[in-house]
Structure formats: C-alpha cells, structure tokens
Amino acid sequence: MDEIRVCARCGKKISEDEFASGKARKTDAGLLCPDCAARREAGPETEEENRELIGRLDAILAEMRNINRTLSFERFSIFNIFGGMFQGAVLIVLIRAFFAFMERGETAHILWAIALQLVAITLFLLGK
C-alpha cells in the first residue's frame, strides 16, 4: 500500500509523480507540495536569522527613541522670544504697507518690513 503524503503547510495530498519529479520536496518542516515549494515564505527561516532580525529591530527602536529624546528637549533661548516678537512686528508692518500702497502708493513701509525681517532671522539664528 502506498504511503499517503500530505503537505506540511496546506495539507494537500502529494502524488508519487510530484515527489519523484522533484516538484514536491522534503524540508525540515516536512513535505511541501509543488505550490508551497514554489512560493517561499517571507521572513527569516532559522533561529539565528530571527535573532539577527530582532537585534536590528532593537537597534532601530533605540535610535528612534534617541531621536525623539533629542527633538523633544530643545534649549530655551531669549533670542527666540525676541525673534518671535520681531516676526509679529513684521506682520503688522506688512499689513500697514499693503494699505499704504493701496491708498497712497507709498512703498517705504516695505523697506521697514524687510529690515525687521532681517533682524528677526538674525535673532532666530542666534537662538540656535
């Protein structure tokens, strides 16, 4: 009587010709039908590869935690506060420049906005 061979993954019966032709094969996990033997499972197959993958994932997680810690603790600087105040002044002067240009055609306010913006950028850079 012939031995009944079934696939270790899907449970499908494996015929003698499939096994003899090499389409079905025997692995450490058991016999594999031609379909399961043709497609390879994604992911590591050995214990050593599992440990290596876990080590890499732990290293990635540690690096992400380090980046998060670095980004969440920003140093306080009075220059950033003054830069924000000057940035607000730039916005006010720009609005004023818009209305001055629309009503009287004056462009001097734009120069003041540019000068204040340069001061604000300088203060933000000093705050770093």
Side-chain angles (χ1 to χ4, degrees), residues 35-107:
D35 295 334
C36 292
R39 72 167 181 242
R40 183 177 178 178
E41 277 197 32
E45 294 181 357
T46 65
E47 190 66 31
E48 183 178 323
E49 288 175 346
N50 279 337
R51 276 186 260 130
E52 183 180 334
L53 177 65
I54 290 171
R56 287 181 182 174
L57 290 175
D58 284 341
I60 291 171
L61 180 62
E63 185 64 27
M64 289 180 70
R65 284 183 178 158
N66 187 24
I67 291 170
N68 187 25
R69 194 176 306 118
T70 305
L71 291 177
S72 62
F73 293 114
E74 196 172 311
R75 293 183 338 189
F76 171 78
S77 175
I78 194 75
F79 292 115
N80 286 337
I81 293 174
F82 285 138
M85 290 169 48
F86 272 91
Q87 192 68 50
V90 168
L91 182 62
I92 291 170
V93 171
L94 275 176
I95 292 171
R96 204 173 147 130
F98 174 74
F99 287 119
F101 181 73
M102 294 304 283
E103 292 172 2
R104 297 180 300 273
E106 295 178 5
T107 56

Side-chain angles (χ1 to χ4, degrees), residues 112-128:
W112 280 106
I114 291 171
L116 287 175
Q117 184 64 48
L118 288 174
V119 172
I121 290 172
T122 303
L123 288 170
F124 284 133
L125 288 175
L126 286 174
K128 287 243 173 212

